[in-house]
Amino acid sequence: MNIQIFGSRKSFDTKKAERYFKERRVPYQFIDMKEKGMSRGEFASIQKAVGGLDAMLDPACKDKDLLALLQYLSPADREEKALANPQVFKTPVVRNGRQATIGYCPDVWKGWE
């Protein structure tokens, strides 16, 4: 199992995800999306696993203008803009190889063990 947690240090759901894996002694890699973000390959893999970019977007994010702009861009430009601005994604994004989840999903993670 190769777990990656993409999130922010201030997100409560990200903290809960980290705690979930720590309690089960499952090693994981934390990536702060504000500092580092995702690579194109990681983004494409996660997007494919969760059902597209719309599933990754957080309708309650603070940057409402950017979220509205994303609705009117072409699909390629939309992905570029979202990848450059990770604050519009729901957190945590937890990835295990080709599998991924958005948000706090302990039921799914239990199946990965």
Side-chain angles (χ1 to χ4, degrees), residues 2 4 11 16 19-21 24 41 45 48-49 57 59 61 65-68 79 82-83 86 98 100 104 108 110:
N2 186 17
Q4 289 180 315
S11 167
K16 284 175 19 181
R19 189 176 327 115
Y20 176 88
F21 290 108
R24 285 152 184 80
S45 174
K48 187 176 180 182
L57 295 177
C61 78
D65 295 335
L66 179 60
L67 201 57
E79 289 180 11
L83 190 57
R98 296 196 184 277
Y104 183 70
V108 177
K110 196 175 288 184

Side-chain angles (χ1 to χ4, degrees), residues 39-82:
S39 71
R40 287 189 193 287
E42 290 167 336
F43 177 71
S45 174
I46 292 167
Q47 190 176 358
K48 187 176 180 182
V50 299
L53 180 61
D54 289 330
M56 295 176 70
L57 295 177
D58 184 8
C61 78
K62 291 182 181 179
D63 198 349
K64 299 289 186 195
D65 295 335
L66 179 60
L67 201 57
L69 174 66
L70 287 174
Q71 302 304 317
Y72 298 104
L73 294 174
S74 69
D77 291 339
R78 194 171 177 217
E79 289 180 11
E80 280 293 320
K81 194 71 161 175

